[in-house]
Amino acid sequence: LVFALLIYSGLYGIKNNLELEAPVNKALKSESSEYKCLPGTLDEAKKTAKESDYLKSILPQSIIDAYCE
């Protein structure tokens, strides 16, 4: 499922002519308000997925619920 979402995201970016962000060439060991951090725990990741408008626009709610149990 993750790979399908990655491919879908890439195709969405190509179709909509989205620009890539510049690469970050520094260590991000400390939190910075300049960059979003990935969820630190499984519970945080599940909460983020459940609230994601992006996932809701692609996947049925039942699939999101099943993966976030």
Side-chain angles (χ1 to χ4, degrees):
L1 183 61
V2 172
F3 289 119
L5 290 170
L6 286 170
I7 292 168
Y8 184 88
S9 297
L11 293 173
Y12 177 87
I14 292 168
K15 179 181 176 183
N16 292 289
N17 297 315
L18 299 179
E19 294 288 326
L20 290 175
E21 297 288 329
V24 176
N25 294 317
K26 63 181 180 178
L28 298 175
K29 292 182 181 182
S30 62
E31 286 189 30
S32 170
S33 61
E34 186 178 352
Y35 302 101
K36 287 185 177 181
C37 292
L38 293 173
T41 66
L42 180 58
D43 286 336
E44 288 176 6
K46 288 178 181 181
K47 182 178 184 287
T48 300
K50 284 182 184 179
E51 296 172 354
S52 171
D53 290 334
Y54 171 72
L55 287 180
K56 290 176 185 176
S57 72
I58 299 170
L59 299 173
Q61 189 63 44
S62 60
I63 299 293
I64 296 170
D65 292 342
Y67 274 88
C68 294
E69 284 184 354

